[in-house]
Amino acid sequence: MKRWLACAAGLILISTAVCSRAEIPGDTLVMAWQFDDIITLDPAEIFEFSGAEYAANTYDRLIGYDIGDVSRIRGEAAESWTVSDDGKTYTFRIRDGISFTSGNPLTARDAAFSLHRLILLNKSPAFILSQFGYTPENVREKIRASDDRTLVMETDKVYAPTFLLYCLTATVGSVVDMNTVMTHEQDGDMGHAWLRTRHAGSGPFHLKSWKAGESIFLDRNDRYWKGPSRMRRVILRHIAEPATQRLLLEKGDVDIARNLGPDQIAGITANRDIVIQTAPKGGLFYLGLNQKHEVLKHPGVRQALKYLVDYEGIAGTILKGAMVVHQAFLPRGFLGALEEKPFSLDVKQARALLAEAGYPEGFAVSMDVRNAFPTIDMAQSIQSTFALAGVKVEILPMDAKQAITKYRARNHEIHIGRWGPDYQDPHTNAGTFAANPDNADDADAKTLAWRNAWDIPDMTRKTAAAVVERDPVKRARMYLDLQKEHQAVSPFVILFQDIETAACRANVKQFVLGPSFDSNVYRLTEKE
């Protein structure tokens, strides 16, 4: 047992002859996965796919939902709630009997502290909560624990009934251990520097170790209030190459491979020792066109580029069923999702739009790309079809952390990115693709529209109106109209919607792929 774990810890990138035949213990789950996008482990800062999945398995959130029917919202750390007659005060009853891995009990005071530090630290995901009117000046007054079991949240106005609840299902709704975190406070940072690489949660697993870009070791929380996991340990190994993931899976050196491409999947379909598991996701791939760029800011250029992508060709060759073509900011399955696909590869139309914009011979531009499948492969296809209209693309490959950091600083020209909903309400995407309350470089709300320097006061007002509409039929129509306008004018080339695939050894059961990137669950997994 110890010998196998030493091998797993020391040899992250690829198995060697020493470890390749070692049997994985029955109470240990090993996954090969691309998680180089993890920047932080602090739930108040986590805003990437892999980090959110980590948090979902190591922290309790206030609210959850049935992954089989996302319309069924349920209590997690908060077992119940009531809403005042005026629709602006939510009172949550915190569940008794939950303990952090430190042994400290989880209380309403921990929940209030967790939401306070989200607003006070003001990291990337803070807008999910600040959109309800919370500021550093008022958050302690508006979010408070009246006793150990009662959490009160007052919003600035009336919103659609489920909106706040869905927001609390996101990573920002994670409850951290106030006493443990504040023990490590430095210079008023509310423990942020410490928690970026540590854990202070009450979830089914707790962090044993994290080596950025290499491995994450999670150990079972035997105190977990829903009952301990069947797995004593989960080991996540960052394996960048899909072909290497396949090799490790076939040898039995990993239990699950998370990033196999279509070619690898085709190559293992006849292997009875491996089972392919799929789940539709809300994740979207898109191009973000920085409006600080002199050429990209022209509306005609933006629209021309939407006609220079071979959507169906990429879906049918590079992706081969791993994604479906989707061209609106709300994923299929969300209230008000638009499924019309007005764009296809049309070089003639693109050339006409470029000529009208004053660029008949095209122009040169760079594209920041995560150096991993499928992003780099999609970028190369897009580079070739852009060239058909004279648009010369320089691909700048980098790891996910570099690309995200550059994108957040608005220093890109074109960014090929992936966005996943933070919660299951349509405002999760409308509020970032179609809203930008302040386009200044030092703005508080750093939405995707902001990242691309797209100043849209009128569309921002329309987005704000949609989120407070209480009639679901009217609200759905408002989102449909927003998406049609967005398709016609935005600096976003929305490409595909995710279908997540996991290839599992046949003895692995009940590995749960949920509808969102932060609803993949390890706790129920077992091995026969």
Side-chain angles (χ1 to χ4, degrees):
M1 173 74 168
K2 290 181 180 178
R3 179 176 178 273
W4 184 90
L5 291 175
C7 289
L11 300 174
I12 299 300
L13 295 180
I14 187 166
S15 291
T16 67
V18 175
C19 293
S20 63
R21 295 299 176 187
E23 183 178 351
I24 301 174
D27 62 356
T28 299
L29 182 71
V30 183
M31 282 188 272
W33 188 28
Q34 296 171 0
F35 54 85
D36 59 331
D37 59 331
I38 294 181
I39 295 171
T40 176
L41 302 183
D42 186 344
E45 188 180 23
I46 288 172
F47 208 46
E48 294 73 43
F49 287 89
S50 305
E53 181 172 318
Y54 156 82
N57 287 279
T58 54
Y59 287 86
D60 278 312
R61 298 177 184 182
L62 286 164
I63 304 295
Y65 56 83
D66 184 338
I67 62 173
D69 180 359
V70 299
S71 68
R72 297 176 61 187
I73 298 174
R74 66 188 183 201
E76 292 292 334
E79 65 180 356
S80 62
W81 59 88
T82 58
V83 184
S84 62
D85 291 341
D86 67 1
K88 296 197 295 183
T89 301
Y90 296 71
T91 303
F92 298 90
R93 179 69 177 172
I94 300 301
R95 192 181 302 275
D96 197 9
I98 302 179
S99 295
F100 293 107
T101 54
S102 67
N104 295 329
L106 186 154
T107 71
R109 304 185 198 284
D110 295 290
F113 168 78
S114 302
L115 300 177
H116 294 167
R117 70 190 298 274
L118 176 74
I119 297 298
L120 295 169
L121 292 174
N122 194 29
K123 301 300 180 181
S124 293
F127 78 90
I128 296 173
L129 200 62
S130 64
Q131 63 191 327
F132 296 98
Y134 301 119
T135 67
E137 293 73 28
N138 72 17
V139 68
R140 287 190 171 95
E141 173 192 353
K142 298 295 184 181
I143 301 178
R144 59 192 182 274
S146 56
D147 58 47
D148 279 353
R149 302 263 70 84
T150 308
L151 175 71
V152 179
M153 300 181 67
E154 296 180 23
T155 60
D156 58 342
K157 56 188 175 184
V158 179
Y159 292 90
T162 57
F163 181 38
L164 176 65
L165 298 176
Y166 273 127
C167 286
L168 294 177
T169 71
T171 303
V172 299
S174 302
V175 183
V176 304
D177 183 344
M178 176 175 63
N179 291 333
T180 296
V181 169
M182 289 304 287
T183 298
H184 299 280
E185 183 180 36
Q186 299 176 12
D187 302 321
D189 74 344
M190 303 185 79
H192 173 59
W194 179 82
L195 197 54
R196 294 189 89 237
T197 58
R198 307 300 203 288
H199 174 255
S202 60
F205 295 92
H206 65 90
L207 179 69
K208 179 70 173 177
S209 68
W210 170 45
K211 293 183 179 180
E214 292 187 8
S215 65
I216 300 174
F217 279 59
L218 303 177
D219 281 352
R220 180 173 61 203
N221 174 12
D222 290 324
R223 294 190 181 96
Y224 190 54
W225 61 278
K226 292 183 181 179
S229 165
R230 295 177 175 90
M231 292 291 102
R232 188 184 65 83
R233 172 165 287 181
V234 174
I235 300 174
L236 310 175
R237 300 174 58 185
H238 175 65
I239 307 294
E241 293 298 324
T244 305
Q245 289 196 17
R246 174 189 170 182
L247 175 64
L248 295 175
L249 181 68
E250 290 183 310
K251 286 185 174 181
D253 290 340
V254 300
D255 297 302
I256 302 174
R258 299 282 300 276
N259 305 103
L260 299 188
D263 291 341
Q264 288 78 40
I265 291 172
I268 60 175
T269 53
N271 188 334
R272 294 184 179 181
D273 293 329
I274 296 173
V275 175
I276 305 299
Q277 185 175 342
T278 62
K281 293 288 188 180
L284 300 176
F285 275 88
Y286 68 93
L287 304 182
L289 315 178
N290 195 337
Q291 298 303 279
K292 290 187 174 186
H293 190 279
E294 189 63 32
V295 180
L296 296 176
K297 72 179 183 180
H298 195 291
V301 171
R302 298 196 300 249
Q303 291 306 98
L305 297 186
K306 295 172 187 178
Y307 288 103
L308 285 175
V309 177
D310 185 7
Y311 303 90
E312 296 295 344
I314 294 174
T317 56
I318 295 171
L319 303 176
K320 293 181 182 175
M323 300 180 203
V324 293
V325 177
H326 189 74
Q327 297 178 348
F329 65 69
L330 282 183
R332 288 190 298 177
F334 274 66
L335 176 72
L338 178 67
E339 298 194 27
E340 294 176 13
K341 295 178 286 188
F343 306 109
S344 59
L345 180 60
D346 188 336
V347 178
K348 182 178 180 181
Q349 174 73 354
R351 282 189 174 277
L353 287 166
L354 288 173
E356 185 177 341
Y359 300 96
E361 303 303 320
F363 58 93
V365 67
S366 65
M367 181 186 296
D368 295 347
V369 180
R370 181 183 182 185
N371 191 18
F373 177 87
T375 315
I376 191 71
D377 304 75
M378 289 192 287
Q380 290 167 353
S381 172
I382 292 168
Q383 180 188 51
S384 67
T385 52
F386 273 26
L388 298 175
V391 179
K392 295 175 281 294
V393 176
E394 179 188 9
I395 293 176
L396 303 178
M398 57 192 74
D399 68 27
K401 184 186 297 186
Q402 291 174 302
I404 291 167
T405 301
K406 187 175 178 182
Y407 189 35
R408 288 178 176 173
R410 310 209 286 187
N411 289 332
H412 65 293
E413 293 184 357
I414 297 179
H415 172 88
I416 181 166
R418 182 183 178 213
W419 178 264
D422 293 298
Y423 44 88
Q424 298 297 312
D425 186 273
H427 189 70
T428 184
N429 278 18
T432 196
F433 280 100
N436 184 6
D438 180 359
N439 198 43
D441 286 339
D442 60 353
D444 289 331
K446 296 177 172 62
T447 66
L448 292 184
W450 175 88
R451 289 187 194 179
N452 289 284
W454 190 34
D455 197 7
I456 44 171
D458 184 58
M459 188 174 289
T460 299
R461 283 191 291 270
K462 292 176 182 177
T463 300
V467 78
V468 300
E469 176 55 58
R470 299 174 70 86
D471 183 325
V473 176
K474 291 182 181 178
R475 193 170 181 231
R477 171 50 58 187
M478 294 170 80
Y479 285 117
L480 284 169
D481 292 342
L482 264 175
Q483 289 165 97
K484 289 178 180 178
E485 180 181 358
H486 195 269
Q487 284 180 334
V489 300
S490 82
F492 295 99
V493 184
I494 299 176
L495 304 166
F496 307 104
Q497 182 172 342
D498 272 338
I499 298 173
E500 185 171 14
T501 299
C504 307
R505 297 290 299 182
N507 67 322
V508 175
K509 308 297 181 183
Q510 298 191 68
F511 175 64
V512 178
L513 292 177
S516 182
F517 56 91
D518 61 350
S519 57
N520 296 335
V521 178
Y522 312 158
R523 186 179 71 89
L524 301 176
T525 306
E526 60 184 359
K527 294 163 69 173
E528 294 180 346

